[in-house]
Amino acid sequence: MAKGKSQYCTWYCSACKCANDVTYYDKRRDDEIVKELSKFCPECMDHVMHRRKDTKKGSGN
Ligand SMILES: [Zn+2]
């Protein structure tokens, strides 16, 4: 696992607020990271706008 340069983030559905995806990105390219993304939500059964929330490794959620 890459430590220090990778930031984990969780994508939350903007409609039902459930966490549907976890990704990670390179901190050094933070200006290229989108904060909102349309993803498929299994709860809503549709594509919904998801909001990114950074998660620290080892802190649960
Ligand atoms: Zn949803």
Side-chain angles (χ1 to χ4, degrees):
M1 286 191 192
K3 195 176 180 183
K5 62 182 180 181
S6 290
Q7 171 71 57
Y8 286 79
C9 57
T10 308
W11 292 93
Y12 290 90
C13 174
S14 61
C16 69
K17 312 293 184 192
C18 73
N20 291 319
D21 197 12
V22 177
T23 59
Y24 64 91
Y25 61 90
D26 191 335
K27 269 185 179 178
R28 293 171 299 182
R29 299 168 65 199
D30 194 34
D31 52 336
E32 294 178 24
I33 309 299
V34 291
K35 292 185 170 61
E36 291 187 334
L37 201 64
S38 184
K39 287 175 172 288
F40 181 80
C41 176
E43 293 291 323
C44 300
M45 294 290 285
D46 202 0
H47 278 86
V48 186
M49 197 62 93
H50 283 59
R51 293 227 174 103
R52 193 195 82 196
K53 186 170 186 180
D54 289 358
T55 49
K56 288 175 186 167
K57 206 163 82 172
S59 65
N61 52 359

